Amino acid sequence: MNLSRCPAVVLIVFLLAACAACSEARLPSGSWISRRAVAQDFEQARVFPDHTYYYIGSVSQPDGVIAIDQRFRLREVKVWAQIDMDEARMRGWQQWWRADAFHRCRYLGGLILLPDGQQAGYWYSPFLHNIVKVTENGELIIHRPHSASGATDCEGDSDMNSRFLTR
């Protein structure tokens, strides 16, 4: 391989990656807001009708879950895995979430809102922060939730509990 071409190849790859990031940054932003009532629904193993469920982490011990209204579609990315949901699975996950919460994380819940304020679904996770985008063709892009520090692991995230909203 001709080494004189390496800097040019690296530059082209960098520019393509930057363009992709910029195009997503220009997409309209929705919201990931906390609501205590939604957390309670998840804690009571309520399955929201007409919603498609996705999780992150292990299928037996998920780190978080979202329920997207079937009127909307989540963009196919490798962040969230789709799963058929029923009350029995939700109760099984609750055992894990309670154990995890006892040891290190407080799980929260809330609404996923579109840029126009329309509700697209629900979330349950130990993290209050997320990026919600909507593509030109109406697909939702929902990133992996994170803490205020950007971490995705609860241990040592001192500001998480102080930011919990009780609305």
Side-chain angles (χ1 to χ4, degrees):
M1 178 176 188
N2 186 346
L3 293 179
S4 65
R5 293 185 188 169
C6 283
V9 171
V10 170
L11 179 61
I12 289 170
V13 169
F14 175 76
L15 289 174
L16 289 173
C19 288
C22 288
S23 68
E24 186 175 308
R26 288 191 297 257
L27 292 173
S29 294
S31 306
W32 174 277
I33 59 173
S34 68
R35 290 290 183 265
R36 182 70 190 134
V38 174
Q40 290 171 336
D41 286 336
F42 277 97
E43 290 159 7
Q44 294 168 4
R46 176 178 178 214
V47 176
F48 300 104
D50 302 319
H51 283 70
T52 303
Y53 280 77
Y54 301 84
Y55 68 94
I56 53 174
S58 160
V59 69
S60 61
Q61 301 173 339
D63 297 326
V65 63
I66 56 176
I68 302 297
D69 188 304
Q70 290 176 354
R71 297 175 298 148
F72 305 100
R73 194 174 71 171
L74 187 66
R75 178 188 253 179
E76 293 295 323
V77 293
K78 295 181 181 181
V79 175
W80 299 97
Q82 186 174 340
I83 192 164
D84 291 330
M85 186 56 65
D86 58 32
E87 190 176 313
R89 173 168 280 141
M90 187 73 79
R91 289 199 187 286
W93 283 0
Q94 276 304 323
Q95 291 176 359
W96 161 249
W97 289 328
R98 284 185 190 111
D100 196 35
F102 177 76
H103 292 290
R104 62 186 188 115
C105 292
R106 179 179 180 186
Y107 279 74
L108 313 168
L111 305 174
I112 300 168
L113 301 178
L114 299 178
D116 65 3
Q118 190 176 175
Q119 184 176 320
Y122 304 97
W123 62 269
Y124 190 70
S125 166
F127 308 109
L128 279 172
H129 303 282
N130 204 341
I131 297 170
V132 177
K133 299 281 186 173
V134 180
T135 66
E136 291 174 359
N137 62 358
E139 289 180 310
L140 298 175
I141 300 172
I142 301 177
H143 291 256
R144 182 178 181 87
H146 58 277
S147 68
S149 67
T152 56
D153 185 276
C154 294
E155 283 186 49
D157 190 6
S158 61
D159 72 336
M160 187 184 69
N161 289 333
S162 66
R163 294 181 178 267
F164 183 73
L165 301 177
T166 56
R167 290 186 250 171

